[in-house]
Amino acid sequence: MESILTINNLTKKFGYLTAVKDLSFTINKGNVYGILGPNGSGKSTTLGIVLNVVNKTEGSFHWFDGNTSTHDALKKVGAIIERPNFYPYMTATQNLKLVCKIKGVDFSKIDEKLEIVGLLERKDSKFKTYSLGMKQRLAIASALLNDPEILILDEPTNGLDPQGIHQIREIIKQIAAKGTTILLASHLLDEVEKVCSHVVVLRKGVKLYSGRVDEMISSHGFFELKCNKETELIKLLENHKSFSKVKIQDHLITAFLSEPMLSDDFNKYLFEQGIVLTHLVQRKESLEEQFLQLTDHNQN
Amino acid sequence: MLRLLNLELQKLLLNRTSKILIFISFILPFFVILLSSLKINVFGFFTLELGELGVFNFPIIWHLTTFFASQFKFFFAIVVVSMIGNEYSNKTIKQNLIDGLSKKEFILSKFYTIVFFSLVSTVLITLISFCIGMYYSSYTEATIVVRETEFLLAYFVKLIGFFSLCLFFGMLVKRSAFALAFLFILYILEWILFGLITWQFNASIAEKIQNFFPLKSMYKLIDQPFQRVAMTKFPDKGELAYDYGAHSYEIIIVLCWTALFIFLSYRLLKKRDL
């Protein structure tokens, strides 16, 4: 598969603080990646390094096949980090013209991209008159100007109201649907879960996991159960070899699987044992639960 | 190169404040020179005509106009420090780099702009001095007209050197106001050093060393012309004589400072995490 970004053993130290520690991963074309991690886990620093604004301490990274210089490679990348940064005294069109000049893109793209983010009517208003949501959408338009091979978004919905968040997510989904590679850094797990196929999980600058979202922890999911003969059920579950852990909360019994099992087989087995369920749900951990498990396991 | 210049010009010319300051720093001095060349009737008491004093004669006019015009460089210095300060306060420097501008290109685009405006200013002053000179000067032979045109080169180098210093201070402190304060501190520092050396050794050694200091070396490129004008009035007063020329070694000193400031600005940006 064609690689877009390769990071090898990247380390960044700010004085005594190690913001990124020995980080390696590869971004391949066509996937939607999420970088997950709590605040201060090194997401923005990592992106800063590959985007040429933060100097690395050790390690290496290269864009595409490694034969282009970073700043030339960035002309084929679209990125927005943290807050939208534009010249407040210029209009949207003027700001985008400046970006066109830097990236070497034709001015004709400007209106097309403003249309995508729905700012065409306001294109001649000064940037400083925009609301935060509009500023963020302009930033996306700016990142799309060069029809990038990869779009990098760092906390794109930070500080937006629900409508703004929804608009940005819709735009991201549209772009992803066109096959553009996306790298999305966020601490909002449902955001990543909704759009990403692959994740890199960071904690305190250390990589905990990188790979497909659904393979994040070796888990076979769990059953949520309710029945009238609770004690019998719990006894049965605790002695069953397929279950590793049983949790009870408010009459809801959660039984974690240690090997694969189908819900109909399980239901049949219980019925044969004389237990009738009133509630049966088979689930896999949500990204949030997986993430918390992953970060908890590595706490020490 | 044109691409980088074009980038920076767009940033400057769309900003109203910098547009006004650029106008003041380049147009105002020419206006003043032009006005002073006119015959002014001061409330009917007497008429003031500087042309009569012989100050618009070739070649002294080159010296005089470049000296006066260079006093207005401070306005453009504000533009230079604010064009760095704004990039930092708007965080657009970060965005520029992310969009694919290299750090080298970023510094170069600022430097090209400095060279461009210095060049425009030099061309304008050449034209206006030439016109006023042709009108007032008692001698208009080609050999006399082209004499001492090295003042124009000195003016050009002086502007580039001074603005490069401002660029460096802008990069160093990231805030326009502080950068201007630094400029003032440097000025005081140079005089304190001068005083210290005078105290330890003597004034003539101190003056020689002072001529290598950044601000003083730029000032020395075009010495004050008043004494010279006085000399033309009283040619027999020998004690007025001084070295007013724009020498090549003075130009080289300033060019060295310029190269150093630009290099340091680049180094600073390269090492810095934005």
Side-chain angles (χ1 to χ4, degrees):
Chain A
M1 211 189 284
E2 204 179 323
S3 80
I4 287 194
L5 173 66
T6 312
I7 294 178
N8 293 316
N9 308 99
L10 204 64
T11 300
K12 173 65 188 179
K13 288 179 180 151
F14 292 108
Y16 294 109
L17 180 87
T18 308
V20 178
K21 200 170 171 183
D22 205 22
L23 181 67
S24 307
F25 64 87
T26 308
I27 303 270
N28 289 318
K29 198 178 168 78
N31 295 329
V32 178
Y33 289 84
I35 299 188
L36 273 182
N39 290 327
S41 58
K43 301 183 300 272
S44 297
T45 310
T46 309
L47 293 182
I49 293 171
V50 299
L51 291 173
N52 203 15
V53 288
V54 176
N55 295 306
K56 59 182 193 258
T57 311
E58 274 164 57
S60 67
F61 67 90
H62 65 255
W63 286 98
F64 306 110
D65 52 4
N67 294 325
T68 36
S69 69
T70 304
H71 74 270
D72 274 330
L74 289 182
K75 291 186 177 126
K76 292 192 267 177
V77 174
I80 42 172
I81 46 170
E82 293 155 12
R83 310 226 123 201
N85 304 321
F86 290 100
Y87 296 89
Y89 53 86
M90 289 188 206
T91 67
T93 313
Q94 286 165 342
N95 266 306
L96 292 188
K97 272 188 182 164
L98 196 73
V99 178
C100 283
K101 283 179 195 168
I102 292 177
K103 296 203 174 208
V105 180
D106 199 75
F107 288 166
S108 61
K109 290 272 178 200
I110 293 175
D111 282 3
E112 176 193 328
K113 303 302 176 192
L114 282 175
E115 173 90 72
I116 293 179
V117 297
L119 282 176
L120 203 54
E121 312 88 77
R122 289 291 303 273
K123 67 173 183 174
D124 290 320
S125 308
K126 288 212 162 84
F127 177 69
K128 60 182 168 202
T129 66
Y130 277 23
S131 69
L132 182 61
M134 292 167 76
K135 286 178 178 176
Q136 196 64 275
R137 280 186 280 148
L138 181 65
I140 292 183
S142 157
L144 290 175
L145 272 178
N146 52 346
D147 294 315
E149 304 246 355
I150 177 170
L151 185 65
I152 296 178
L153 304 157
D154 187 2
E155 311 272 3
T157 55
N158 223 358
L160 296 182
D161 58 11
Q163 285 97 326
I165 294 176
H166 181 71
Q167 280 175 332
I168 299 287
R169 280 195 190 147
E170 284 307 307
I171 294 169
I172 294 174
K173 275 183 198 161
Q174 276 175 35
I175 298 162
K178 285 181 195 156
T180 308
T181 313
I182 293 179
L183 180 59
L184 174 73
S186 183
H187 60 263
L188 301 174
L189 295 139
D190 58 329
E191 187 166 287
V192 173
E193 193 171 26
K194 274 174 192 151
V195 278
C196 299
S197 58
H198 291 66
V199 276
V200 176
V201 182
L202 297 180
R203 208 180 118 261
K204 289 184 181 165
V206 181
K207 182 178 79 175
L208 299 181
Y209 173 77
S210 95
R212 295 193 61 87
V213 174
D214 42 15
E215 291 165 1
M216 196 152 120
I217 34 177
S218 47
S219 139
H220 304 285
F222 56 87
F223 287 115
E224 282 179 356
L225 311 164
K226 272 185 192 168
C227 82
N228 296 326
K229 298 192 216 163
E230 238 170 69
T231 38
E232 282 171 50
L233 175 61
I234 292 165
K235 214 168 130 192
L236 201 69
L237 288 171
E238 275 168 351
N239 294 325
H240 199 287
K241 63 176 172 52
S242 302
F243 294 97
S244 56
K245 208 169 84 181
V246 181
K247 232 168 54 181
I248 307 121
Q249 198 175 25
D250 292 339
H251 302 287
L252 182 73
I253 301 163
T254 314
F256 294 88
L257 282 163
S258 57
E259 58 183 43
M261 184 189 266
L262 292 172
S263 54
D264 44 359
D265 290 342
F266 180 59
N267 200 2
K268 205 168 131 197
Y269 165 77
L270 285 182
F271 196 73
E272 282 162 9
Q273 300 293 319
I275 295 171
V276 183
L277 293 170
T278 55
H279 174 93
L280 169 64
V281 176
Q282 185 174 26
R283 271 183 55 200
K284 277 214 156 192
E285 284 88 346
S286 72
L287 191 58
E288 185 170 325
E289 285 157 328
Q290 293 186 48
F291 175 72
L292 290 175
Q293 271 195 39
L294 201 57
T295 43
D296 279 347
H297 277 308
N298 294 276
Q299 204 80 59
N300 32 21
Chain B
M1 184 178 154
L2 277 177
R3 165 177 161 262
L4 295 177
L5 183 63
N6 190 289
L7 269 179
E8 195 55 44
L9 286 182
Q10 181 186 341
K11 290 180 197 170
L12 283 183
L13 296 179
L14 288 175
N15 188 335
R16 200 195 297 152
T17 319
S18 28
K19 221 162 37 185
I20 293 170
L21 284 171
I22 289 169
F23 181 79
I24 291 175
S25 55
F26 291 106
I27 308 303
L28 206 61
F30 306 109
F31 223 59
V32 170
I33 291 169
L34 203 67
L35 271 180
S36 66
S37 71
L38 298 175
K39 201 185 266 185
I40 304 162
N41 195 324
V42 186
F43 306 117
F45 293 118
F46 59 96
T47 46
L48 185 72
E49 195 181 6
L50 288 169
E52 300 269 282
L53 292 169
V55 291
F56 294 125
N57 282 342
F58 287 117
I60 198 171
I61 185 174
W62 297 124
H63 188 171
L64 212 66
T65 49
T66 49
F67 179 79
F68 277 109
S70 62
Q71 306 307 313
F72 286 87
K73 66 183 189 296
F74 200 70
F75 291 101
F76 191 68
I78 300 175
V79 177
V80 174
V81 293
S82 69
M83 78 186 181
I84 304 288
N86 283 343
E87 299 272 12
Y88 273 105
S89 60
N90 295 333
K91 288 197 173 176
T92 41
I93 177 170
K94 202 169 170 180
Q95 194 62 44
N96 280 180
L97 296 180
I98 290 169
D99 286 337
L101 204 67
S102 70
K103 289 182 173 179
K104 196 171 155 192
E105 282 177 323
F106 183 82
I107 296 290
L108 277 180
S109 82
K110 303 286 179 203
F111 181 62
Y112 289 154
T113 311
I114 288 173
V115 174
F116 174 75
F117 279 111
S118 304
L119 193 69
V120 169
S121 174
T122 310
V123 169
L124 278 173
I125 197 123
T126 308
L127 284 175
I128 198 147
S129 306
F130 183 75
C131 293
I132 296 174
M134 287 313 258
Y135 185 72
Y136 281 104
S137 182
S138 326
Y139 334 96
T140 49
E141 294 85 11
T143 46
I144 294 179
V145 169
V146 296
R147 254 173 62 191
E148 295 188 19
T149 40
E150 69 264 22
F151 276 114
L152 294 172
L153 179 67
Y155 177 70
F156 181 56
V157 171
K158 182 176 173 156
L159 290 188
I160 293 182
F162 185 67
F163 298 147
S164 301
L165 174 67
C166 297
L167 177 74
F168 171 65
F169 278 158
M171 290 304 297
L172 190 67
V173 297
K174 306 180 201 172
R175 303 263 195 305
S176 339
F178 288 135
L180 291 173
F182 258 60
L183 218 55
F184 187 62
I185 291 169
L186 179 67
Y187 177 74
I188 294 171
L189 211 64
E190 284 193 9
W191 280 106
I192 290 175
L193 271 173
F194 174 74
L196 281 177
I197 299 167
T198 315
W199 175 54
Q200 285 294 322
F201 303 97
N202 61 56
S204 72
I205 292 180
E207 201 167 320
K208 279 195 185 105
I209 295 175
Q210 197 197 16
N211 286 346
F212 284 96
F213 293 163
L215 283 175
K216 181 69 182 176
S217 66
M218 286 168 203
Y219 180 78
K220 269 292 283 177
L221 273 178
I222 304 173
D223 298 272
Q224 47 86 7
F226 310 113
Q227 224 172 319
R228 187 179 173 191
V229 174
M231 269 161 67
T232 59
K233 294 291 142 194
F234 315 101
D236 47 332
K237 287 208 172 168
E239 68 266 28
L240 283 176
Y242 71 118
D243 181 15
Y244 53 75
H247 299 289
S248 50
Y249 69 84
E250 291 174 339
I251 291 179
I252 288 168
I253 293 173
V254 176
L255 284 177
C256 286
W257 280 117
T258 308
L260 186 72
F261 290 138
I262 298 299
F263 174 73
L264 286 178
S265 307
Y266 173 60
R267 269 290 295 274
L268 211 59
L269 181 59
K270 203 173 166 64
K271 295 258 157 166
R272 194 174 269 167
D273 294 325
L274 296 165

